[in-house]
Each structure stands twice: as structure tokens, then as C-alpha cells.
Amino acid sequence: MSSSPFSDADISSLIDDNVQYPQQIWYTIAAFLFVIGCFQWGLFLHSKFARRARHEYDEETVIANGVHRKFSLRRIPLAVINVYRVVAFRWTLEIGRSYTLNMTEVFVTVAYIVLLLTYAFINTTSAEGQKLDIIFWSNRIAMLAASQFPIITALGTKNNIVSLVTGISYDKLNYTHRMMARTCFMLLWVHGAGQIVSFPFEPWLRAGITAMVAFSILILVSLRPVRSNMYEVFFYVHFLGVLIFLVGGYYHTKGAHGSFWIWPSFVFWAFDRFIRAIRLVVFNHSYFGFKSGTGTMDAATELLSEGVVRMRLRRPPHFHWSPGQAAYLIMPSVSTLPFEAHPFTIASFDSSLLSTAPAEDRSNRDVTGPSAPFWKELVFLVNVQEGFTKKLKEVAARKETVKVFVDGPYGSSPDLGSYDTSVLVAGGSGVSYTLPVFLNIIERVRKGKSSCTRVVFIWAIRGAEYVQWIEEALIKAVRLAPPSLTVSIRIFHHCFIHDAIQKKSSPEHVVTRKNSLSLSFMSLRGVRTENGRPDLDALLKEEVSVTSGRMSVSVCGSQAIARATRHALRFPVSGPSSILNGGPSITLHVESFGYA
């Protein structure tokens, strides 16, 4: 680069700080991740191996709504944990109707920005005494931002070491990936502005400008409105933008210490792609000539309603997943470009639960409709929007079969075996997440692997006919539930759309369904259907009032449903007073509706 008018002392200090400060930031981040990892894995081990302490009831014991409760100061640690859960994950910053940040995300964002800015502006006084010298902080900002490229790249991949260390799935870390990228984007433009006005237009500067233009486009297409409504645009611009940015950044910093931080990003990205390629070959081997015969992974499509498509394909024998996990589907004949991968929650259950049922209760049907037994199939309920899913809807309207490449499974599955009560809340196609979890709870109780005594299944839908998607699975599950497990199914439908569908679509496009529910479903114990939207505040508080011990609430639906659930489980429901008086310790799991 061009010669500098600054003293040798300034240059020496600048070089030393540009090496040491990024390393110190990495030590800070590594220590934070280590603490989070210890906490997460500690909770995991506790959930796996901890044994519930038996309640000792004495003269302080009171009976409220049939639940034994007593005041105990020994529950202070549990009360503290619940206060932390409420403040960290249920207090939220709500922006508009569709964007929500919990306080943990807010804290991490603020702490990260403060950390980078602190290291950017400390010790920026030149040897001549000029404070906040632009050469010091402008160059250092760039070096600090460059040092974050490896972890930003890792957080954006499906198979990353951060998930391994912390036990947090990649989809939960995606907010951190976006936040860190946007923070570095702002820092780099501050650096870039200083470089453009201070140096001639040399090749290293042109490489940096090219990188920043690509980064700017990448940031724009990653905004939620674009990402949600034009996923294909985001997918390919993201791929090309990252490649151009990293290559341009590498040549911009070539010969400086910044290039040291850039090449590991290529390694992390290549490792993730290698793992995903291996998965594709292993789980789709019939397409690659490793097995005689073809078409074993072809998917049958069906248009259940104007807004939902069901896909079914026979899974490979070696493909296993946990309830609530998702898979990426590649459908070259449907997508605009052949390698688009779209995530969807697996709605079927990887188990032989129904195979253990009495002969009169068995049938060759999957979780959500006719065909092979559901433990032999992958089933997806696809929420129709624009782009790819709209094209898939056209295919499903013709009931065509499509070739599918499966990459997965991904995501985490909450371990609910140690909870006394589990409440599952879903809206629309969010049932793709709650149904397998519901079936899993029943199976684990049957096998003596769960201490659950009550499970509540709440589903908000547009029309009663939607129940037929999963009606048979619910019927079988309730019949198989042991007497020790109380099952409550609450269905809320706020309008009948059957007539509207008939007017908008020709008969061959939509499978017509009756508005009435079957007698066999309505006669099940614990089943209730109601018109209108669910009052989640009242429903959840009712469950809290009749529960003691540990309680889990899992929700997958729209932002409105997730917000209502969070609001219902704040203070005083999960407050110290409730816990000290024997109320339940409540854990909340919120899943992204984007997978449903």
C-alpha cells in the first residue's frame, strides 16, 4: 500500500494491535461459547439422567385444583432459574407484527457491538498525541471485522463446530450469523470510506470495493421480506455474493495480516458442502447407481387445501430422525435451478409405534394420509407461498410424482422425557412439528422412558376439515396411550373454507372434504373442538394451575401464536411466588414457522 506519514512508533503500535486485538476478541468469544456449551450440555445431561425427587407433603401442603402444593424455600434455586428463563427468552423486543427478538438475542447483539467498538477505539492516540487517530481505528476496524469471517461463515453452515460445542442447532444460531455479518458490514463500510478518500485507486483497493459491493447486495437480499418472499433469489445471490466477497477480501488484504483470517472461511464452507454432498449420496444412493432400481425416493404430491401440499416418499432404511427435525429437499424438476435446497419439517414419526398396536387398530397408513405405514415414509406438509412452493402446488394439483433428493436431518429435538406435563401448540402446518413430538411422548410413556402424566395437543386451524390430515394418527395414538397418561386434544377452527375452496378451485385441484369431523375422532377421550381462535393465555394458565413438577410448552406457528405463548408464560405465571408455592417449573420451546 502507499507510504504512511506516521512515525515508526505509530506503525509498530498499529501492527501489534492489529494482531493482538482480533486474537483477544476470539478468546472472549471462545470463552463465552465454552460457558454456553457447559450450560447447555449440563441441562442435556440433567434432563437425561436426573431422577425426580419425591415430593414430601407435610402440614404445609395445600391442595389447589387437585394438585398437591406446598411452600418451600428449598425451591429458591428453581425460582431463580425460572426468572432467568422468563427474562432471557419470554421478554421480547417486538418490531412490527412479524419481527421479535428475545432479551438473550438483544443482549448478545449489544454485547457483540460493544466488544468490537471497544477494541476498535482503545489506544488510538498517535505518538504526536492526536486522539482517535483515523489511521488507527479505520485500519483496526477492518482487521477486527476480517477476524470474524471464519465464525460468521461457520454459523451460516448446517454442519458447524459451534453447534457441536454449544449443543445449539444451526437454525437457532442463524440469528447470530446474520447479526454478526451485519455488524461487520457496517464496520467495513466505515473502513472503506476512509480508504477510498485516502488512497489512490490501486488494484488492492478495487478488490476491496468489489468485495463490499457484493457484501452490500448480500445484506439487502438477506432482509426478511426478501428472504421470505423470494427465497430462490436469496439462495443464489447469497452463494455468489459470499464467494465474491471472500475472494475480493482475500486479494484486498493479501500481504497484510487480514488474509490470515479469510482463508479459514473457505475451509469451513468447503467442509460443510463436503458433508452435505456425502449425505446426499448416502441417503439418495439409488439415484447415483449404487443400488439397482430407480425411483425409490420419488415423492407423491397431494394438494390438501389451497395453502398446503402434502409430500410422501419412502425413506431409506438407514435414514433416521428425531421428532421436530427438518430436512432439505432438492427437486430439480420443480425448482428454477437444479440445486435449490428448501427446508421442511418432517411430519412423520420415525418409530414403529403403530406396529405395536392390536391388529384391529392397525392399517397401512402414514401419519397424515394413505399409503405405506408412516414409520416407513417421510411426510412433509408444505405451506404454499410464492416461488418454489407455488410451483410445487401446481404439481400437486395434478397429483404428479417428483424426484426428490433429501439432505438431513437437521435441527434439534427437545427431550421431554423428564417433564410431568407437555403442552404442544401449533398453528396450521406447524402441526408438522407438534404431531411427531406428540406421538413420541406417547411411545416413550408406553415404554417407561418418560415421566409424563399429561400431554395437551392444541391446534389452531382455518377449517375443521384440516383435522382429516392427521385424524387417523391422532385416533391411533389416543387409543395406544396408557392409562397413566392423560391426553387432551383441543382443536380450534375459526372458519370453514371448504365452500371458498370449491369456488376458487376446480374439483380436480383440491381434494374435497366434509366440514364435519368423524364420529370415531369426536368420541375419543380428551378430544374437544371449538369455533374461534384459541385463547392461549387462558389455556396455558389453566394448565399451569393444575400442574406441579416440570412443565414443557412447545410451539410452532405464526409470530402471533409464538408471541401469545410467550406473553402467557411471563410473570406472575412463572414468577418466584408461583415456584416457591409449588407451582410448575416451565420450559418453553419455540420453533420457526419457516420450516412448516
Side-chain angles (χ1 to χ4, degrees), residues 295-489:
T296 58
M297 293 291 286
D298 289 358
T301 62
E302 179 184 3
L303 188 59
L304 297 178
S305 72
E306 281 293 288
V308 177
V309 171
R310 177 168 60 202
M311 296 180 58
R312 301 194 316 270
L313 58 153
R314 185 174 294 274
R315 71 172 178 85
H318 50 284
F319 186 92
H320 299 282
W321 68 96
S322 298
Q325 287 191 300
Y328 278 76
L329 304 183
I330 301 173
M331 288 174 267
S333 62
V334 179
S335 57
T336 303
L337 295 173
F339 299 107
E340 292 178 15
H342 297 261
F344 301 104
T345 301
I346 303 173
S348 47
F349 183 37
D350 186 15
S351 172
S352 57
L353 173 64
L354 297 190
S355 67
T356 62
E360 62 272 16
D361 286 338
R362 300 181 194 168
S363 75
N364 289 333
R365 297 205 173 197
D366 61 56
V367 175
T368 57
S371 189
F374 69 77
W375 61 91
K376 294 183 180 179
E377 283 197 330
L378 286 170
V379 181
F380 301 90
L381 297 178
V382 180
N383 193 28
V384 177
Q385 296 178 356
E386 294 296 326
F388 169 81
T389 54
K390 188 174 182 180
K391 294 178 183 177
L392 182 61
K393 174 185 174 181
E394 296 172 357
V395 172
R398 299 188 295 269
K399 296 184 179 182
E400 295 180 355
T401 299
V402 295
K403 290 190 178 297
V404 179
F405 294 85
V406 179
D407 174 24
Y410 292 105
S412 60
S413 177
D415 184 2
L416 306 181
S418 61
Y419 292 91
D420 301 273
T421 298
S422 290
V423 180
L424 308 173
V425 182
S429 59
V431 75
S432 297
Y433 173 82
T434 57
L435 178 62
V437 175
F438 175 73
L439 298 175
N440 183 56
I441 290 172
I442 293 177
E443 180 181 70
R444 296 191 67 182
V445 172
R446 282 170 54 87
K447 293 182 177 180
K449 296 181 179 180
S450 172
S451 59
C452 185
T453 59
R454 178 174 174 82
V455 58
V456 182
F457 184 89
I458 301 172
W459 191 21
I461 51 180
R462 293 182 178 179
E465 65 271 19
Y466 283 29
V467 175
Q468 297 187 27
W469 302 351
I470 63 171
E471 182 181 65
E472 188 167 358
L474 292 178
I475 292 174
K476 294 180 185 300
V478 172
R479 289 176 178 173
L480 289 171
S484 62
L485 178 65
T486 301
V487 178
S488 175
I489 298 177

Side-chain angles (χ1 to χ4, degrees), residues 95-270:
I95 305 171
R97 299 178 59 184
S98 62
Y99 202 84
T100 302
L101 294 178
N102 61 47
M103 288 299 105
T104 297
E105 293 170 334
V106 172
F107 168 77
V108 170
T109 300
V110 173
Y112 183 71
I113 293 174
V114 169
L115 178 67
L116 290 184
L117 292 180
T118 299
Y119 274 98
F121 291 105
I122 60 173
N123 296 331
T124 54
T125 303
S126 68
E128 288 76 18
Q130 182 180 348
K131 295 182 178 181
L132 295 177
D133 192 293
I134 187 172
I135 294 298
F136 278 84
W137 58 260
S138 175
N139 283 279
R140 191 186 299 163
I141 278 179
M143 198 62 65
L144 295 176
S147 71
Q148 301 304 293
F149 295 166
I151 191 170
I152 292 173
T153 303
L155 289 170
T157 60
K158 309 300 181 292
N159 309 278
N160 66 76
I161 192 172
V162 180
S163 292
L164 181 63
V165 171
T166 63
I168 303 174
S169 63
Y170 85 93
D171 53 307
K172 295 291 192 300
L173 293 171
N174 195 258
Y175 167 78
T176 308
H177 163 73
R178 299 194 306 272
M179 178 273 295
M180 294 177 70
R182 290 165 183 172
T183 302
C184 290
F185 169 75
M186 292 185 291
L187 295 180
L188 286 173
W189 263 123
V190 172
H191 162 75
Q195 297 290 295
I196 291 173
V197 300
S198 302
F199 295 96
F201 204 62
E202 297 181 1
W204 62 268
L205 184 57
R206 289 197 295 270
I209 293 174
T210 302
M212 286 308 300
V213 170
F215 201 1
S216 300
I217 296 173
L218 177 58
I219 291 295
L220 289 176
V221 300
S222 69
L223 297 176
R224 176 173 291 186
V226 179
R227 196 173 70 247
S228 300
N229 298 319
M230 294 185 290
Y231 180 81
E232 293 87 349
V233 174
F234 161 76
F235 180 85
Y236 286 102
V237 171
H238 186 276
F239 179 85
L240 294 175
V242 169
L243 182 62
I244 295 172
F245 171 70
L246 290 177
V247 172
Y250 180 84
Y251 281 102
H252 175 70
T253 59
K254 193 174 182 180
H257 291 285
S259 59
F260 170 80
W261 295 106
I262 295 179
W263 66 261
S265 300
F266 292 102
V267 175
F268 289 134
W269 179 85

Side-chain angles (χ1 to χ4, degrees), residues 493-510:
H493 46 93
H494 54 268
C495 70
F496 288 98
I497 64 169
H498 175 72
D499 293 337
I501 290 177
Q502 289 290 78
K503 292 178 181 179
K504 292 181 180 180
S505 305
S506 58
E508 66 271 19
H509 280 186
V510 179

